[in-house]
Amino acid sequence: MKTDFHALIASCTGGVFRCHSPLPDAALESAARAALRIVPIRLNPVRDKNAFLNALAAALEFPAHFGHNWDAFYDCLLDPVRGEGGGTLLVVREASGFARADPDEFAAAMNTLADAADYWNGAGKALLTVVELETPALAPGLAEISCPAS
């Protein structure tokens, strides 16, 4: 069963989800209307943990002292969300290469993002991550999200 993206946005609930095509513009517009900060992250060249952490640290503007490990990644995800909006939407594009090259570290990354989303759900803000993957086999444990064009 797929989770509807628009319903998820309306509920202000975070989590980590997979989709198998790029999020349509209408989905991003829906997130913007819900006052989510939208952070696109391209993982095309990423094939390992260090490159993943570098990509996310740059996109999310982690502090210079970021420790480049899963605990430090989690801690930085818990830093206060900027602005008065409802939270953050991470659009993780082209993630298939990382998922194939290092499935254990990819799973660790998704688990860390899910743990941070749970924290923010308890704080009344959303950390929603949508991971664009070529096939469900790359992340069968992630719920699939449906993104109708309108």
Side-chain angles (χ1 to χ4, degrees):
M1 183 168 119
K2 294 181 183 180
T3 300
D4 179 70
F5 181 80
H6 298 295
L8 192 62
I9 293 295
S11 72
C12 294
T13 302
V16 181
F17 299 86
R18 64 179 159 81
C19 66
H20 305 293
S21 61
L23 284 177
D25 289 342
L28 297 176
E29 291 166 6
S30 176
R33 282 192 304 274
L36 290 178
R37 178 177 84 145
I38 301 168
V39 181
I41 303 157
R42 293 213 176 272
L43 294 187
N44 187 33
V46 170
R47 298 295 180 267
D48 60 28
K49 172 185 174 180
N50 194 48
F52 173 83
L53 291 173
N54 284 336
L56 273 283
L60 293 170
E61 301 173 349
F62 286 175
H65 65 271
F66 170 57
H68 286 82
N69 60 61
W70 295 127
D71 288 336
F73 178 58
Y74 177 79
D75 289 343
C76 285
L77 291 171
L78 299 190
D79 281 346
V81 175
R82 281 184 225 125
E84 297 300 319
T88 300
L89 167 61
L90 302 179
V91 182
V92 182
R93 300 190 182 277
E94 303 164 346
S96 297
F98 178 35
R100 279 191 185 98
D102 201 339
D104 291 337
E105 294 294 359
F106 179 79
M110 298 304 105
N111 289 337
T112 304
L113 286 163
D115 289 346
D118 288 344
Y119 169 85
W120 284 113
N121 283 339
K125 293 221 180 214
L127 174 61
L128 175 60
T129 303
V130 177
V131 183
E132 296 175 355
L133 294 163
E134 294 168 358
T135 174
L138 294 173
L142 294 181
E144 188 171 349
I145 200 162
S146 65
C147 301
S150 58

